[in-house]
Amino acid sequence: MDHKGTKLIHKYLRHDKKFPHVWCPGCGNGIVLGALIRAIDKLGLKKDDVVMVSGIGCSGRMPVYVDFNTLHTTHGRALTFATGIKLVRPHLHVMVVMGDGDATAIGGNHFIHAARRNIDLTAIIVNNQIYGMTGGQHSPTTPYGCKATTAMYGHIEHAFSISELAVTAGASFVARGSVYHAQMLDGMLEKAILKKGFSVVEVMSNCHVQFGRRNQMGDPVTMMKRLKDHAVRIEKAKTMEPGELEGKFTIGILADVDKPVYTEEYEKIREGAKR
Amino acid sequence: MSKKKSANRYFLQGNEAVVEGALTAGCTFFAGYPITPASEISEILSERLPQVGGTFIQMEDEIASMGAIIGASLAGAKSMTATSGPGFSLMQENLGFACIAEVPCVIVNVMRGGPSTGLPTNPAQGDVMQARWGTHGDHPIVVLATSTVQDSFELTIKAFNFAEKYRTPVVLLSDEVVAHTRETVELPPREEIHIIDRIAPSMPPEWYIPFEDNSRGVPPMAAFGDGYRYHVTGLVHDVRGFPTQRPDEIEAFMKRLFRKITQGFNEIQMTKDFMIDDAKVAVIAYGSVARSAKRAVLDARDRGVKAGLLQLVTLFPFPRMKVEEVLRQCRAVLVPELNMGQISREVSRVNQGKCQVRKLNRLDGGLITPEQIMYELLKI
């Protein structure tokens, strides 16, 4: 099909898929998917070589719409399935889309171990600080004091910082962006896909329906502005006092290190074992 | 492999035979988590798989192990994991995924005493119903039970063959005694062993409808990366793999899942019989207990009782036809088990008053002995 004159995304959407999609109007998931597609297109990856894996949640529905090898797994387990695929076919570009609850609550163990192993996967975590699909329950990234349908008196737990967790767990590449900073996100995803090793891109997103509404954060546009106002570039954050960063989040590349990649190391084991 | 005796004869333990069976069947991917009494399977495969270009990985838990073997299978590998009761429970979530997404894979459960941490180094048969109904939702599944080291080799191959042919997870139940007993086994030459591989799509990608029904009820399966870009999901899906809420599509899909196994009943439901032709009383047994039962049948015959043995090799789909034949023929059957009667309930279910069904249960961590079975046979 000739895609000239149509949006880039049409080249990658599944035309036989039953639309409309499941996301609410104003949701950040579409921006993440758009950025991912732009990154894949810019890198010129063959569709046949791209595997998109997801867990459960709003972001988990992302793969079904796009024309790659796509796998919608169980809640929190996407990285384990992706591990199996990558080890059997290391030449495939395996991208794993998860939400904050998916990746760091039920899938927290898999997340830190995938990072520690340094398997060459690209993990994209859409962090909207809430369980959206199931109706607004608090997640591991719901800020202290916020309201959720399972924290009606205010949340008394403390939030994970997903990116810092990934750095500590040993990921080769870690970046945090937001759905407001869409162009920046394109670049981050490109770098993450190219990176040999486990890479994580945490995308701060808005869920005005399940999170914003209950916490008086306004409509999607207001929430997007909020993302803009609360984002601080990592370079700038280094010059700021810790108190000034209260309630804000940093954006940029948190880690970019080179270390042995699991699949390449395993290939060496195979060579040695065959002798 | 140790202590080679002659050309094809080896002195192996059950867990080692599982490894040999898996490699013979073409297994190239194993993911597992350490657990007694199944760990030898992981240990040996970690050494053997890279030698044949395969992959071994020790995952962070059994949930992850099951996820990894499903991913590997979707990428085209024959994959397996091995565990014991508590680990098997953790696998149940993703086992359901393998059922609904029709991903071939083999799960070996070396049963130990339970529930919970239970008796890690003792044999038991408490996971029979966990194997059948452990995962959520209504689903068909294939469950085999090994009773000897030779069986462990042959049934592991069968497990892979059924998994590939029917696109289904297959559970192989072993137990601590079979896993750790060393026996002489004969491994037939490779060319004499029938190996089945999944059917790949023969049509061009644009014609491929990944979950379309056919006469076998088993659609051809493309691997990720082969050019057939399709969607795999744990949601109930239509023929193209996309989630559906339409009752007509849901029903057609669920019925096909069951039908594909039902259509294979003749080959899947395996039993072995021993001196059953003229038997008036019979033992119906499986796993390590079938070993004791065989001896008990001989001893009972020495004492003038016309005893026989029906060994269930396939536990599910329950080999109802063969069991019914025995129930019609005998005046009484004895179902000895290392649990409180998980298969005896199945036997009673199909019995419907034809015959007297007796149980013999042992839960103290020991094996049911031939004497115990013979004594019961003399009483009935």
Side-chain angles (χ1 to χ4, degrees):
Chain A
M1 196 191 278
D2 182 15
H3 299 282
K4 272 181 192 163
T6 64
K7 286 183 181 168
L8 175 67
I9 197 159
H10 292 150
K11 188 172 148 192
Y12 291 93
L13 285 183
R14 278 184 163 135
H15 300 278
D16 53 353
K17 167 72 189 80
K18 297 170 220 166
F19 278 89
H21 58 66
V22 298
W23 301 321
C24 308
C27 176
N29 278 333
I31 298 172
V32 180
L33 182 58
L36 194 51
I37 282 174
R38 286 191 294 277
I40 288 169
D41 191 72
K42 190 160 175 206
L43 294 173
L45 306 184
K46 272 175 63 187
K47 285 182 183 177
D48 286 345
D49 293 344
V50 175
V51 183
M52 200 184 279
V53 186
S54 70
I56 297 292
C58 297
S59 61
R61 295 301 183 99
M62 216 175 271
V64 72
Y65 306 118
V66 282
D67 185 19
F68 303 120
N69 304 284
T70 56
L71 173 61
H72 180 205
T73 69
T74 44
H75 196 21
R77 321 299 178 207
L79 284 167
T80 70
F81 287 67
T83 298
I85 295 167
K86 184 70 184 179
L87 296 189
V88 172
R89 299 209 166 176
H91 74 281
L92 296 175
H93 302 278
V94 184
M95 296 162 204
V96 188
V97 185
M98 296 169 282
D100 43 303
D102 195 36
T104 61
I106 189 166
N109 198 28
H110 310 308
F111 180 61
I112 55 173
H113 286 282
R116 176 183 63 80
R117 271 185 205 113
N118 202 29
I119 291 190
D120 185 18
L121 302 171
T122 309
I124 299 120
I125 301 170
V126 184
N127 181 1
N128 60 6
Q129 305 176 307
I130 203 82
Y131 284 87
M133 187 169 268
T134 46
Q137 298 81 10
H138 66 76
S139 88
T141 57
T142 302
Y144 180 83
C146 283
K147 283 190 177 167
T149 52
T150 47
M152 294 304 278
Y153 301 106
H155 194 37
I156 56 170
E157 297 174 19
H158 304 278
F160 261 144
S161 164
I162 295 178
S163 292
E164 266 105 33
L165 178 66
V167 172
T168 311
S172 283
F173 179 90
V174 181
R176 190 192 286 117
S178 93
V179 292
Y180 176 83
H181 306 83
Q183 279 187 318
M184 190 184 185
L185 188 57
D186 291 5
M188 283 175 178
L189 288 168
E190 275 173 45
K191 286 200 184 85
I193 292 167
L194 284 177
K195 184 74 189 180
K196 286 270 171 211
F198 190 72
S199 42
V200 177
V201 179
E202 179 189 3
V203 190
M204 301 303 292
S205 184
N206 60 297
C207 181
H208 49 285
V209 175
Q210 301 291 13
F211 182 63
R213 188 165 50 113
R214 207 157 279 118
N215 289 288
Q216 289 80 45
M217 288 176 175
D219 60 10
V221 176
T222 317
M223 283 192 83
M224 287 280 253
K225 279 189 183 145
R226 197 185 151 80
L227 286 174
K228 180 194 173 192
D229 296 339
H230 283 71
V232 180
R233 298 221 177 213
I234 283 177
E235 298 75 22
K236 193 181 170 204
K238 281 176 189 155
T239 66
M240 291 164 67
E241 297 294 321
E244 292 178 84
L245 285 167
E246 195 66 39
K248 305 203 168 193
F249 61 90
T250 54
I251 54 170
I253 293 166
L254 283 84
D256 189 355
V257 292
D258 291 313
K259 53 181 167 183
V261 179
Y262 191 97
T263 42
E264 289 169 8
E265 293 295 297
Y266 200 84
E267 191 50 42
K268 288 182 205 159
I269 287 180
R270 283 197 197 107
E271 292 305 316
K274 277 177 195 165
R275 264 183 236 128
Chain B
M1 257 189 290
S2 60
K3 296 180 188 169
K4 201 167 174 178
K5 276 191 172 174
S6 67
N8 300 318
R9 288 162 70 82
Y10 299 87
F11 191 59
L12 301 179
Q13 60 160 235
N15 280 345
E16 289 173 330
V18 166
V19 169
E20 295 310 322
L23 292 171
T24 306
C27 173
T28 55
F29 188 91
F30 181 96
Y33 185 83
I35 188 166
T36 303
S39 297
E40 292 87 356
I41 299 175
S42 287
E43 289 167 358
I44 303 166
L45 279 169
S46 76
E47 194 179 344
R48 297 282 298 278
L49 273 170
Q51 292 171 355
V52 296
T55 309
F56 166 88
I57 186 167
Q58 182 175 313
M59 296 299 285
E60 54 272 19
D61 56 28
E62 288 88 349
I63 302 171
S65 304
M66 193 63 211
I69 69 164
I70 294 170
S73 186
L74 286 167
K78 288 190 182 180
S79 63
M80 180 173 91
T81 186
T83 188
S84 188
F88 191 45
S89 294
L90 288 184
M91 290 176 181
Q92 296 296 348
E93 178 197 33
N94 284 336
L95 185 58
F97 186 94
C99 289
I100 199 167
E102 301 176 75
V103 183
C105 53
V106 174
I107 302 98
V108 180
N109 175 6
V110 185
M111 292 185 285
R112 65 189 214 185
S116 190
T117 313
L119 296 162
T121 56
N122 293 69
Q125 296 179 316
D127 296 343
V128 169
M129 282 299 164
Q130 189 188 189
R132 176 62 193 92
W133 292 115
T135 197
H136 43 277
D138 206 9
H139 62 280
I141 196 158
V142 178
V143 181
L144 312 178
T146 167
S147 72
T148 65
V149 176
Q150 186 74 37
D151 261 4
S152 297
F153 172 76
E154 289 167 10
L155 288 182
T156 305
I157 297 173
K158 282 271 187 204
F160 273 98
N161 283 352
F162 289 154
E164 294 286 312
K165 183 168 179 182
Y166 296 98
R167 286 189 64 173
T168 178
V170 176
V171 179
L172 175 62
L173 292 179
S174 177
D175 62 55
E176 194 278 332
V177 162
V178 179
H180 290 153
T181 299
R182 288 190 177 274
E183 297 181 286
T184 302
V185 292
E186 196 150 329
L187 309 188
R190 176 68 182 75
E191 58 275 12
E192 283 175 23
I193 299 170
H194 183 48
I195 304 291
I196 298 175
D197 296 327
R198 67 191 69 170
I199 294 174
S202 55
M203 64 290 274
E206 59 272 26
W207 291 0
Y208 181 51
I209 302 174
F211 298 94
E212 190 181 31
D213 200 358
N214 56 29
S215 60
R216 294 199 308 123
V218 185
M221 184 173 172
F224 281 173
D226 277 354
Y228 295 83
R229 299 185 300 272
Y230 68 110
H231 187 61
V232 178
T233 177
L235 286 163
V236 171
H237 40 274
D238 62 17
V239 291
R240 295 197 174 271
F242 300 134
T244 182
Q245 293 272 350
R246 270 175 47 183
D248 58 330
E249 289 179 339
I250 297 168
E251 194 185 357
F253 170 72
M254 291 304 292
K255 289 210 162 149
R256 179 174 64 74
L257 277 193
F258 281 89
R259 196 192 92 222
K260 68 176 181 183
I261 303 295
T262 314
Q263 284 185 188
F265 269 11
N266 272 346
E267 109 177 308
I268 297 173
Q269 294 177 334
M270 300 180 294
T271 57
K272 285 182 191 169
D273 46 53
F274 179 66
M275 306 191 109
I276 202 84
D277 288 347
D278 62 342
K280 292 282 174 265
V281 291
V283 186
I284 298 179
Y286 56 94
S288 55
V289 178
R291 305 166 69 107
S292 301
K294 206 167 182 177
R295 177 64 202 228
V297 164
L298 287 171
D299 291 348
R301 289 228 168 211
D302 282 348
R303 285 162 177 75
V305 177
K306 282 195 168 176
L309 165 68
L310 178 70
Q311 183 191 336
L312 306 182
V313 177
T314 304
L315 299 184
F316 299 103
F318 189 67
R320 179 180 187 137
M321 307 279 272
K322 285 279 171 50
V323 171
E324 276 178 338
E325 274 177 34
V326 172
L327 291 170
R328 271 195 294 269
Q329 177 189 322
C330 297
R331 64 181 157 78
V333 298
L334 176 71
V335 189
E337 292 178 88
L338 296 174
N339 58 48
M340 281 306 282
Q342 299 190 11
I343 282 292
S344 74
R345 273 197 290 270
E346 286 294 290
V347 174
S348 299
R349 179 175 66 83
V350 302
N351 181 37
Q352 301 187 357
K354 290 188 208 52
C355 169
Q356 188 190 151
V357 178
R358 290 281 195 94
K359 302 198 299 179
L360 172 59
N361 312 105
R362 187 164 178 179
L363 293 171
D364 63 356
L367 256 183
I368 296 181
T369 62
E371 293 74 32
Q372 280 181 294
I373 297 173
M374 188 194 66
Y375 182 66
E376 288 298 315
L377 284 177
L378 296 183
K379 280 202 291 188
I380 56 176

